[in-house]
């Protein structure tokens, strides 16, 4: 389970308040979609949740472990696919995977088994000796997905994971999300693609200007907005526009 | 609206030479103290560099003038300047041309624009010309100034000197692209940033060695005017013969010495000849140049079947700290710009040392024989230690370690790694090379000076203590003030102020310690014990305090 309580963050350099009193609870066994326009605070929230940024206020709990008091244990409880796969272009794929597995203390047998199955699932098994710099963006994204699951985490956090993936890989990723949720693990991902959120999320949160506008299932959103036949996209746009107008008033 | 070509030239010139720009503050806002300090530091560094290189050429030209004057051949000083400038500009221009042949993203973007190949190459040639001109101007200025002070020539001399500075880089520029474009077009493996960097590095190193040999060799014989006249700048000397056989140098020389309209004519002829050569190369090779940029830096994905044996061989557990250290080493050594400006320095410096020792062997031997007390006293041990310390602290590994990792920091911070371990891995990486530098420097100079083994070992230990201190000091500095936003790796290392602060700070500290040692009436053992204890103690204290600082500081970084 992931619990975010009253999180706030203002960037020191720019003075921008990116997240404002955000609270969330994501349960084990669910796929949770985190939606919002550009600059809404999705990535800042994910960065705080994963220990990359320190919140000014609030509390983060991952699998019952408090991020503030025991960050190493909390970080061991999730796997992250970040928003930037352009990281270690000078490393070979297998060197990167070994590095990640070493950091998570994955034993030899398990790491070999997981590398084999995940790499073949995403069709990158024959390029593991190649330099990451020679990969396309999609291949780099697939490698990050494989690396994030090497320690079989209870929570899987993905920031815009579909960017750069071909249709087959996107399909495989969605299947994997479903499988993990079905096995009682938690999946949290941010996306701009409403169709993906609509198809696979058990619950969603819509965020704008650092505040949560809605948390719940898509039928609940439709019921709230009273627009039963509308697509998630139009509901999302309506909700965000309303919040922008309210902010202007 | 600006025409495409001048706009393209401006774009490339700004891409290469413009300093990183910060967002402008509110109108009338005062620049921060940090920014002022940085600007002052850069200006001082520039002056120091110009003064350093300038003093070498001033001394050489002055000595040459004095040697040539009695024979009435002092005009050859200007021929020598034009020839030397042409040769040096050719080498430096070659390095710039090859390292900027394809400026990655910028050039790839240009290929999608409706620009002719000759425009792309022409703009690139102008971009390279600017740095060549600055260097040629500097070299011609030194010789011309000495000649002007000594001979008080007519005003036309100054016009000739300016035309010379303008014209001298043109023919080498044409020659450079005449070589480089067919080379890269013909050899597919060269069409990668890494290959061009390696070639540039190798040529740069060869040039630095030859130049060092030339200066060291000349410096040791400069007082012998007969030798200078016969071998260095006399009418039969290589430089003079080359100059007379190379039309641009001959025309440049005549433009300064012929005087009046004739001088102006020679100067203009030199300029026209150079421009014609550069334009010809541009028009002839522009198309080929543009084609060679297609697919530049394209990497082939290596495919290996993931058999059971391959997986078993490739995936093995290791200690997380060991894994962090090996990540540091791989990321640094596989990025040419990092390797050439980092670890490679301690491989290159001993070569310079060996050249200096060999070329000035006689003089060094005489000096050592005269200074009998030097070897038996602490001086020789401290000199060896100082060189080892200089070498061990010259790699810029620790003082740029956090900056180099800036793009990966958000990801690393999400992994269950203690920030202290991340920093400690960076320290161990730097320390490994500091150890190597201290060994090569301390023991190498110890051997040249003929130190007894105990003194050499003491020199090595002193060098290591000093280098270890600079490693942890550099790491503190870069952790406290990393360069987090950069577009290319050069900015993280070469343009990182922490690197200059650390290297220059280490040199200043070594100088101060040298002066202190000369002043202190202590023996070898006392000096060794004091310096070793001081630097070891400082290193241990800084290492002990680093974890707490790292945990706090890495947590605060927002990028």
């Amino acid at each position: 389970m992931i619990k975010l309580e009253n999180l706030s963050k203002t960037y020191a350099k720019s003075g921008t308040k990116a997240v404002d009193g955000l609270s969330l609870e994501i349960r084990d066994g669910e796929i949770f979609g985190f939606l919002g326009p550009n600059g809404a605070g999705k990535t800042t929230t994910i960065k705080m949740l994963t220990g990359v940024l320190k919140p000014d206020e609030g509390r983060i709990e991952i699998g019952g472990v408090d991020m503030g008091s025991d960050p190493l244990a909390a970080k061991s409880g999730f796997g992250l696919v970040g928003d930037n796969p352009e990281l270690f272009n000078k490393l070979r794929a297998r060197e990167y995977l070994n590095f990640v597995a070493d950091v998570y203390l994955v034993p030899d047998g398990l790491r070999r088994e997981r590398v084999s199955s995940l790499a073949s699932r995403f069709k990158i098994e024959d390029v593991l000796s190649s330099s990451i710099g020679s990969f396309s963006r999609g291949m780099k994204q697939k490698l990050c997905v494989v690396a994030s699951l090497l320690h079989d985490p209870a929570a899987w956090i993905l920031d815009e994971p579909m960017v750069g993936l071909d249709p087959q890989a996107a399909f495989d990723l969605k299947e994997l999300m479903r499988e993990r949720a079905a096995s009682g693990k938690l999946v949290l991902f941010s996306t701009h693609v409403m169709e993906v959120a609509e198809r696979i999320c058990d619950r969603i949160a819509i965020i704008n200007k650092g505040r949560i506008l809605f948390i719940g299932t898509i039928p609940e959103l439709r019921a709230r907005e009273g627009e039963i036949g509308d697509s998630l996209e139009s509901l999302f746009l309506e909700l965000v526009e309303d919040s922008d107008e309210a902010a202007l008033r | 609206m600006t025409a495409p070509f001048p706009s393209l030239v401006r774009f490339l010139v700004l891409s290469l030479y413009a300093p990183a720009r910060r967002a402008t503050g509110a109108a009338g806002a005062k620049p921060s103290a940090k920014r002022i300090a940085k600007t002052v530091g850069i200006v001082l560094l520039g002056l120091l560099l110009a003064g350093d290189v300038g003093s070498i050429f001033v001394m050489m030209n002055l000595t040459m003038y004095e040697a040539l004057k009695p024979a009435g051949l002092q005009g050859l000083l200007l021929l020598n300047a034009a020839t030397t400038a042409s040769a040096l500009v050719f080498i430096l221009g070659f390095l710039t041309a090859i390292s900027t042949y394809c400026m990655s993203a910028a050039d790839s973007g240009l290929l999608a624009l409706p620009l002719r190949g000759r425009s792309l190459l022409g703009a690139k040639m102008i971009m390279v010309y600017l740095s060549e001109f600055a260097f040629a101007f500097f070299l011609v200025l030194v010789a011309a100034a000495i000649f002007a002070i000594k001979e008080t020539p007519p005003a036309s001399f100054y016009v000739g000197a300016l035309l010379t500075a303008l014209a001298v880089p043109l023919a080498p520029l044409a020659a450079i692209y005449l070589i480089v474009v067919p080379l890269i077009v013909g050899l597919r493996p060269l069409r990668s940033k890494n290959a061009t960097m390696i070639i540039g590095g190798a040529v740069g190193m060869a040039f630095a060695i030859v130049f060092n040999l030339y200066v060291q060799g000349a410096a040791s014989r400069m007082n012998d005017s007969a030798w200078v006249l016969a071998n260095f700048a006399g009418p039969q000397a290589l430089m003079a013969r080359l100059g007379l056989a190379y039309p641009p140098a001959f025309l440049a020389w005549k433009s300064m010495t012929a005087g009046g309209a004739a001088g102006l004519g020679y100067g203009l002829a030199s300029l026209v000849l150079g421009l014609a050569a550069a334009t010809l190369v541009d028009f002839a090779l522009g198309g080929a140049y543009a084609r060679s940029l297609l697919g530049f830096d394209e990497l082939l994905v290596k495919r290996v079947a993931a058999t059971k044996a391959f997986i078993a061989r490739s995936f093995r557990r290791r200690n997380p700290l060991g894994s962090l250290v090996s990540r540091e080493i791989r990321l640094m050594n596989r990025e040419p710009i990092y390797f050439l400006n980092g670890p490679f320095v301690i491989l290159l410096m001993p070569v310079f040392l060996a050249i200096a020792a060999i070329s000035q062997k006689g003089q060094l031997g005489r000096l050592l024989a005269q200074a009998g007390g030097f070897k038996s006293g602490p001086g020789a041990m401290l000199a060896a230690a100082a060189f080892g310390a200089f070498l061990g602290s010259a790699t810029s590994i620790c003082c740029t370690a956090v900056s180099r990792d800036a793009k990966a920091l958000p990801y690393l911070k999400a992994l269950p790694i203690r920030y202290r371990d991340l920093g400690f891995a960076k320290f161990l990486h730097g320390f490994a090379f500091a150890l190597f530098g201290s060994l090569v420097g301390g023991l190498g100079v110890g051997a040249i000076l003929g130190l007894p083994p105990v003194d050499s070992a003491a020199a090595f230990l002193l060098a290591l203590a000093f280098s270890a201190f600079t490693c942890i000091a550099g790491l503190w500095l870069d952790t406290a003030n990393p360069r987090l936003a950069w577009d290319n790796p050069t900015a993280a290392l070469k343009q990182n102020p922490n690197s200059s602060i650390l290297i220059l700070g280490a040199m200043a500290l070594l100088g101060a310690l040298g002066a202190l040692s000369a002043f202190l009436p202590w023996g070898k053992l006392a000096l060794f014990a004091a310096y070793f204890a001081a630097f070891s103690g400082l290193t241990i204290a800084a290492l002990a305090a680093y974890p707490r600082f790292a945990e706090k500081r890495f947590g605060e970084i927002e990028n």
Side-chain angles (χ1 to χ4, degrees):
Chain A
M1 178 183 282
I2 288 178
K3 251 188 186 174
L4 308 179
E5 282 176 16
N6 199 30
L7 279 190
S8 291
K9 177 72 191 174
T10 301
Y11 283 101
K13 266 194 177 169
S14 62
T16 311
K17 187 153 201 168
V19 174
D20 187 5
L22 185 145
S23 295
L24 260 184
E25 198 173 299
I26 304 157
R27 298 184 282 264
D28 290 340
E30 76 174 345
I31 302 178
F32 192 92
F34 204 40
L35 280 62
N38 290 334
K42 299 187 300 288
T43 297
T44 303
T45 305
I46 288 181
K47 280 185 170 177
M48 285 193 281
L49 166 63
T50 53
V52 176
L53 282 178
K54 262 190 184 168
D56 301 330
E57 279 174 57
R59 192 170 168 274
I60 298 159
E61 206 182 281
I62 298 175
V65 183
D66 182 65
M67 177 63 83
S69 54
D70 192 354
L72 291 193
K75 287 175 187 177
S76 300
F78 65 80
L80 172 70
V81 179
D83 61 342
N84 177 19
E86 306 288 333
L87 287 180
F88 304 119
N89 285 341
K90 297 289 167 186
L91 293 185
R92 294 190 179 93
R94 61 178 163 79
E95 290 168 346
Y96 169 60
L97 293 177
N98 260 326
F99 166 69
V100 174
D102 287 338
V103 165
Y104 285 106
L105 310 172
V106 182
D108 280 345
L110 276 178
R111 83 170 62 183
R112 287 169 190 159
E113 190 187 309
R114 287 176 189 156
V115 166
S116 289
S117 71
L118 288 165
S120 73
R121 182 166 190 161
F122 285 97
K123 298 183 179 55
I124 56 167
E125 76 274 27
D126 57 349
V127 294
L128 295 175
S129 278
S130 199
S131 158
I132 299 174
S134 65
F135 287 9
S136 66
R137 195 191 194 282
M139 284 167 82
K140 288 177 188 172
Q141 186 75 346
K142 290 177 192 176
L143 184 69
C144 290
V145 168
V146 172
S148 70
L149 293 176
L150 287 178
H151 60 302
D152 191 24
W156 194 21
I157 302 167
L158 307 96
D159 196 359
E160 299 287 355
M162 303 298 170
V163 178
L165 291 183
D166 57 53
Q168 180 64 51
F171 176 80
D172 288 338
L173 184 64
K174 285 182 271 185
E175 281 297 298
L176 196 53
M177 286 181 180
R178 286 195 187 100
E179 282 169 29
R180 293 193 72 80
S183 68
K185 284 163 178 153
L186 166 171
V187 178
L188 161 66
F189 74 102
S190 72
T191 185
H192 283 111
V193 189
M194 297 297 141
E195 193 201 351
V196 173
E198 197 163 13
R199 281 197 181 172
I200 64 167
C201 289
D202 298 311
R203 286 197 305 145
I204 58 165
I206 298 178
I207 179 175
N208 192 26
K209 298 188 186 331
R211 287 172 178 268
I212 296 274
L213 304 180
F214 170 81
I215 305 177
T217 61
I218 292 169
E220 282 169 355
L221 177 63
R222 288 205 170 101
R224 192 183 112 162
E225 294 292 303
E227 308 277 355
I228 305 300
D230 272 14
S231 66
L232 176 59
E233 189 175 30
S234 54
L235 290 169
F236 169 83
L237 292 172
E238 221 169 278
L239 203 59
V240 170
E241 272 169 27
D242 287 350
S243 91
D244 285 343
E245 280 167 17
L248 282 173
R249 282 197 299 269
Chain B
M1 198 180 83
T2 315
F5 186 69
S7 194
L8 176 62
V9 172
R10 188 168 178 273
F11 170 77
L12 287 179
V13 169
L14 287 176
S15 302
L16 186 67
Y17 301 110
R21 292 173 181 185
R22 286 169 194 271
T24 32
K30 285 183 181 172
S32 67
K34 187 177 161 187
R35 202 167 176 194
I36 295 171
K38 198 174 158 185
T39 310
V40 171
I42 290 171
V43 170
L44 285 176
L45 258 178
L47 288 174
L48 183 74
L49 189 69
D52 192 30
V53 179
S55 65
I56 294 175
F57 286 104
V58 167
M59 289 313 295
M60 285 174 78
N61 278 292
L62 260 179
T63 318
M64 206 182 294
Y65 178 86
E66 298 300 340
L68 294 168
K69 172 82 178 166
L73 293 170
Q74 63 270 39
L76 280 176
L77 180 76
L78 301 169
L79 177 62
N80 178 70
T83 317
T84 308
S86 299
L88 292 181
V89 151
F90 177 81
I91 306 282
L92 291 177
F94 184 84
L95 293 177
T96 318
I98 203 149
S99 62
T100 57
Y101 190 88
C102 178
M103 300 197 306
S104 300
D107 277 335
S108 306
L110 292 177
L111 284 177
L113 298 176
L115 293 165
R116 288 173 193 274
R118 64 176 184 242
S119 298
L120 290 171
L121 181 60
K124 196 60 78 68
M125 288 172 83
I126 292 174
M127 182 188 84
V128 174
Y129 171 83
L130 290 180
S131 61
E132 285 193 327
F133 167 70
F135 194 64
F137 183 78
F138 180 72
L139 293 183
V140 172
L141 179 78
V142 170
I146 288 171
F147 190 82
I149 292 166
K150 300 276 186 187
E151 299 286 320
T152 55
S156 62
F157 167 81
Y158 300 98
V159 178
L162 182 64
L163 287 175
T164 296
L166 283 168
V168 152
L170 288 168
L173 182 73
I176 288 163
Y177 279 96
L178 195 59
I179 296 168
V180 169
V181 175
L183 193 70
I184 291 185
V185 167
L187 295 170
R188 179 71 189 82
L190 292 185
R191 278 180 245 164
S192 94
K193 195 77 196 151
N194 282 359
T196 52
M197 289 294 299
I198 290 164
I199 292 175
V203 173
M205 185 184 72
F207 164 64
I209 290 172
V210 170
F211 184 68
N212 211 274
L213 198 60
Y214 169 76
V215 172
Q216 295 286 352
S220 64
R221 305 289 298 271
M222 266 297 166
N223 292 326
D224 182 352
S225 58
W227 179 86
V228 172
L229 190 61
N231 296 292
F232 204 62
Q236 291 309 310
L238 180 67
M239 204 58 88
R241 278 186 281 141
L242 273 178
L244 291 169
Y246 176 62
F250 175 77
L251 290 173
W253 175 51
K254 294 297 276 180
S255 79
M256 288 186 277
T257 53
L264 189 66
Y266 280 118
L268 289 175
S270 164
L271 205 56
V272 168
L273 190 72
L275 276 172
T279 310
L280 203 64
V281 168
D282 178 28
F283 274 63
L285 296 176
Y289 170 73
R291 281 193 299 277
S292 72
L293 293 180
L294 292 168
F296 202 94
D297 249 351
E298 206 172 63
L299 293 173
L300 290 177
V301 177
K302 185 179 160 193
R303 294 189 183 271
V304 177
T307 58
K308 259 192 164 179
F310 167 79
I311 295 285
R313 204 173 52 239
S314 304
F315 293 92
R316 287 196 183 123
R317 187 175 169 175
R318 69 199 287 189
N319 175 291
L321 183 63
S323 207
L324 279 168
V325 175
S326 104
R327 186 193 75 98
E328 292 286 336
I329 294 172
R330 283 170 177 153
L331 289 178
M332 179 129 199
N333 293 350
R334 289 180 189 171
E335 178 63 67
I337 196 84
Y338 291 162
F339 179 70
L340 292 171
N341 291 282
F344 189 63
V345 171
I346 56 174
L347 302 173
L348 185 65
M349 287 287 184
V351 177
F352 287 160
L353 174 76
I355 288 171
I358 293 165
S359 61
Q360 300 198 37
K361 199 177 173 184
Q363 208 173 1
L364 192 69
R366 278 194 301 278
L367 277 172
L368 285 174
Q370 282 163 12
F374 179 71
K375 270 166 75 176
S376 54
M381 177 197 76
L382 290 177
F387 189 78
F390 169 69
L391 217 49
S393 58
T395 60
S396 302
I397 292 175
C398 288
C399 60
T400 59
V402 181
S403 303
R404 283 184 278 113
D405 241 351
K407 291 194 188 302
L409 271 186
Y411 178 73
L412 293 170
K413 284 171 72 179
L415 295 176
I417 303 168
R418 294 188 305 177
Y419 299 147
R420 67 185 69 181
D421 291 343
L422 188 60
F424 197 51
K426 293 176 186 304
F427 172 78
L428 286 176
H429 175 206
F431 184 72
F433 284 92
L435 179 73
F436 179 71
S438 302
L439 260 174
V440 173
L443 299 186
V445 175
I448 290 172
L449 296 176
L451 290 185
V454 178
D455 286 13
S456 286
F460 157 66
L461 288 174
L462 276 184
L464 187 62
F466 183 93
S467 307
F469 170 68
T470 59
C471 284
I472 189 65
L475 186 58
W476 265 83
L477 187 65
D478 203 47
T479 308
N481 188 29
R483 183 161 191 174
L484 296 172
W486 44 262
D487 293 329
N488 65 72
T490 313
L493 193 138
K494 275 177 88 174
Q495 295 163 7
N496 189 336
N498 295 339
S499 175
S500 313
I501 292 171
L502 208 279
I503 291 178
L504 293 176
M507 284 163 71
L509 185 57
L510 282 174
L513 288 173
L516 180 70
S517 309
F519 173 74
L520 288 173
W522 294 355
K524 217 184 280 185
L525 189 63
L527 282 170
F528 168 77
Y531 289 150
F532 187 74
F535 286 109
S536 305
L538 284 170
T539 304
I540 291 165
L543 271 173
Y546 184 77
R548 205 168 157 203
F549 172 63
E551 294 297 337
K552 183 172 178 288
R553 182 65 191 121
F554 277 107
E556 288 168 354
I557 290 174
E558 293 175 351
N559 73 322

